[in-house]
Amino acid sequence: MADARRQLRSGTVVLGGMGLLAAALTACSSDPDRRCVDRGSYTAGKGYRVVTDKNCTATKSTVNADYYYGGKKRSGWVKGGSFSESGGGSGGSSSDGHSVHRGGFGSGHGSSGG
């Protein structure tokens, strides 16, 4: 009887530990930091001004907003990231700090070969 109770307790500990592990993994998702920024607010010293997410999801917005990934946030501004979710690839940054969009597979731009 004592052995059965001991096994039950150890099983509970294992299941509880698995729940904690699942919660920790969910909290540490692989998605990079994503912030909604005003594309027209760029300054060399500060980067882009962070605005509310509503500006990036609404069909009409008072600012030219887009999601900015990564970077360091400081006093309502963020810099050192990218407008590309992967942080690289076909998107880049021009000399004035604004993003450059290029076509690519699935971009809907360009022509198909034949």
Side-chain angles (χ1 to χ4, degrees):
M1 183 78 145
D3 288 337
R5 207 175 310 152
R6 187 174 298 152
Q7 282 182 329
L8 181 62
R9 266 190 258 149
S10 66
T12 303
V13 170
V14 169
L15 290 176
M18 294 299 285
L20 288 174
L21 178 62
L25 290 175
T26 302
C28 300
S29 69
S30 62
D31 292 338
D33 290 337
R34 178 176 85 166
R35 297 172 181 92
C36 186
V37 300
D38 178 3
R39 283 181 169 263
S41 66
Y42 181 81
T43 63
K46 294 181 178 179
Y48 293 96
R49 183 172 53 94
V50 178
V51 295
T52 63
D53 276 351
K54 207 174 5 175
N55 291 299
C56 286
T57 58
T59 54
K60 290 185 179 180
S61 176
T62 57
V63 296
N64 183 12
D66 202 356
Y67 284 114
Y68 191 75
Y69 299 90
K72 301 258 185 211
K73 184 178 176 186
R74 189 171 179 190
S75 300
W77 294 79
V78 64
K79 70 186 239 181
S82 170
F83 284 103
S84 172
E85 191 170 351
S86 64
S90 64
S93 180
S94 65
S95 60
D96 65 353
H98 292 85
S99 69
V100 177
H101 295 280
R102 296 183 180 91
F105 181 76
S107 69
H109 300 289
S111 61
S112 60

